Amino acid sequence: MSSSLSLRVRDLTFSYPDRVVFDGLNLTVGAGRRIGLVGENGVGKSTLLRLLARQLPPQAGEIEGGGDIGFLHQELPFPPTALISDVLDDALREIRAALARLDVLAERLQDDPDESALLDEYGRVLEWAQAHEAWDADRRADLVRAGLGLSALAPSRPLHTLSGGQRCRLALAALLIRAPRTLLLDEPTNHLDDDALTFVEKHLSSVSGIVVLSSHDRVFLDAVCTDIVDLDPALGGPTRYGGAYSEYLEHKRAERARWEQRYAEEQRQLKELRHAVHVTARQVSPNRAPRDNAKMAYDYAGGRVQKQVSRRVRAARLRLSELERDQVRRPPRPLRFTGDLDADLGEPRRLLAARDVAVAGRLAAVSELDVHVGDGSTSRLLVTGGNGAGKSTLLSVLAGRLTPTRGTVERARGVRVGLLEQDVSFPDPTRTPRQLYDTANRDRPAPPLTSLGLLAPRELDRPVGALSVGQRRRVALALLIAHPPHVLLLDEPTNHLSLTLAEELFEALDTAAPAVVLASHDRWLRRRWSGAELALRPV
């Protein structure tokens, strides 16, 4: 029965050779709950999903329940020569087998209606079929194919003729058609357009079983999830928050405020205790000398006072030692761009202008684009458009890295333009993030690289050529944060960032630079955008 369905994790421990991922993790998920896993990249979201799917064995602890479990494979477990129809038939195989078995059992029960073994089996298979909505499976298959944009693909088409995005959508379709009681989804929104995203959100919100998923799509998390599990919380171990992503953000803001308050209070206490140990507790009778005729009494009382002082010093030292040992660490500083660039811009003016700019085959003509600043105002522009509309191309043209086929781009004298590309490369791949950052900020103040929260300590001294695409983008973002240009061009800036960093980056845009031009498909960012927008036409 769906009411008894649950997935239970007790004291789960798992490690890789270089790090501990989970140490005593506990989690219980009941029917109708949809859990979103969030946390810094590499914190263990994908690992936990694989553990729940029983694709990895835990090193300690137990994983129980979940009924029949479906795990979204990033690659279809079929040979390239297999057909689309083979994938769809496999998704329906168990359901069709259950319906066929019910027919057989029904015929046998007509001949022997009191046979207990037949009745028990019929009840079990019937319950399974009802839980999987077996009689609606064919209609569900048609709806899922249409919702994921696969209806136009012929069932006889071999898998090797499909694009990577089509194969990913077919894998998701097969899982939704199969309708297991527990769905485990690792980044299910990859390769989905807005219509497909809306369909998946509605479909998952209606399932009666268990859903556990990870996603960088904050709108998706907000639409689908009933709970958020933060695997990388501010304090303590992994934490579960009731509600969707919006509620999770409110919880985190309140938690951050409590953390800052606790840190400030502990620092105040530490200061007072250190003063007490070194000064206050050692004062016997400050600003008072003994009278000559009271020397004997003073000596006697002084000894008593010295004992009291010793007790006070010991007590203060003990409390100081305890607090120093158990004090909460300083809250990490949110991302903030440094420097005051408005002062060196002078009077209000136009920093950048593009007229009738186009790139053959990559960017349809943009008739007019201006970036102005001045009088305390800032310029913020969001560039939108479908895949292939030329968002990245336009930013490269504005940055001067790509010459347009036609049109002109003018930049004001003395204005620096910086671009955060999607695929970052560095002239010398042997240099480390720490070396690049220190060199770039040698002659100006900048926050420590470690304080930005963009790179793990183990990545700071690795050659940038050995880092992943996402890690290289974080290095480039760190350089921009420490020394922002006057016009900051950001191409899909939230890609490869954890949700927390993505939120911090969005908040930091207010202080990023006098002018920001941003291209993004991030639905959460687009919905919260309050500046100007430029929608590019398809090429």
Side-chain angles (χ1 to χ4, degrees), residues 183-195:
L183 282 166
L184 304 175
L185 309 173
D186 193 0
E187 296 293 346
T189 60
N190 290 350
H191 307 288
L192 301 184
D193 58 22
D194 286 351
D195 290 339

Side-chain angles (χ1 to χ4, degrees), residues 18-19 40-43 232 432-434 449-462 467-468 470-472 474-475 478 496 498 501:
D18 61 334
R19 60 192 172 98
E40 180 58 74
N41 295 342
V43 77
D232 185 27
T432 69
R434 195 191 304 274
L449 178 58
T450 53
S451 73
L452 300 180
L454 288 168
L455 294 164
R458 63 180 178 274
E459 297 161 359
L460 297 178
D461 297 307
R462 293 180 61 199
L467 299 180
S468 68
Q471 290 165 341
R472 291 198 301 271
R474 288 172 173 233
V475 175
H496 306 290
S498 68
L501 281 174

Side-chain angles (χ1 to χ4, degrees), residues 246-311:
S246 294
E247 288 79 14
Y248 161 74
L249 288 181
E250 292 300 319
H251 287 303
K252 293 296 285 184
R253 292 188 186 101
E255 184 180 84
R256 170 82 187 198
R258 291 192 297 271
W259 187 1
E260 291 176 345
Q261 183 178 6
R262 177 180 169 185
Y263 176 78
E265 175 61 20
E266 286 187 355
Q267 294 305 304
R268 183 191 64 79
Q269 292 180 30
L270 284 168
K271 182 178 180 180
E272 291 179 353
L273 286 168
R274 288 171 182 140
H275 185 265
V277 168
H278 296 294
V279 181
T280 307
R282 296 183 180 278
Q283 292 176 341
V284 177
S285 181
N287 302 319
R288 179 183 173 189
R291 296 188 302 272
D292 289 341
N293 59 358
K295 187 176 186 302
M296 184 178 298
Y298 183 85
D299 289 341
Y300 173 75
R304 204 168 43 180
V305 170
Q306 288 294 346
K307 291 181 180 178
Q308 293 175 354
V309 170
S310 296
R311 286 196 296 269

Side-chain angles (χ1 to χ4, degrees), residues 338-492:
T338 63
D340 181 9
L341 298 175
D342 292 298
D344 62 0
L345 286 175
E347 61 185 20
R349 58 172 168 157
R350 187 174 64 191
L351 302 182
L352 187 150
R355 296 290 182 269
D356 196 31
V357 167
V359 177
R362 295 173 58 180
L363 175 66
V366 176
S367 59
E368 185 175 78
L369 187 156
D370 289 315
V371 177
H372 290 275
V373 294
D375 293 330
S377 65
T378 56
S379 179
R380 299 289 184 264
L381 175 65
L382 174 64
V383 180
T384 63
N387 291 335
K391 299 187 294 295
S392 298
T393 300
L394 176 60
L395 294 189
S396 293
V397 169
L398 297 178
R401 301 189 182 185
L402 178 65
T403 302
T405 305
R406 75 178 203 204
T408 60
V409 177
E410 296 180 359
R411 300 171 193 85
R413 180 175 297 177
V415 169
R416 295 197 315 276
V417 179
L419 170 64
L420 177 65
E421 301 173 277
Q422 288 201 54
D423 191 1
V424 175
S425 61
F426 295 94
D428 185 356
T430 65
R431 305 200 72 191
T432 69
R434 195 191 304 274
Q435 291 171 334
L436 290 169
Y437 191 83
D438 290 345
T439 299
N441 298 292
R442 180 177 298 153
D443 300 322
R444 51 179 174 264
L449 178 58
T450 53
S451 73
L452 300 180
L454 288 168
L455 294 164
R458 63 180 178 274
E459 297 161 359
L460 297 178
D461 297 307
R462 293 180 61 199
V464 290
L467 299 180
S468 68
V469 172
Q471 290 165 341
R472 291 198 301 271
R473 290 200 87 205
R474 288 172 173 233
V475 175
L477 181 56
L479 298 175
L480 289 173
I481 286 173
H483 190 51
H486 299 102
V487 180
L488 180 60
L489 309 174
L490 300 172
D491 191 1
E492 301 292 356

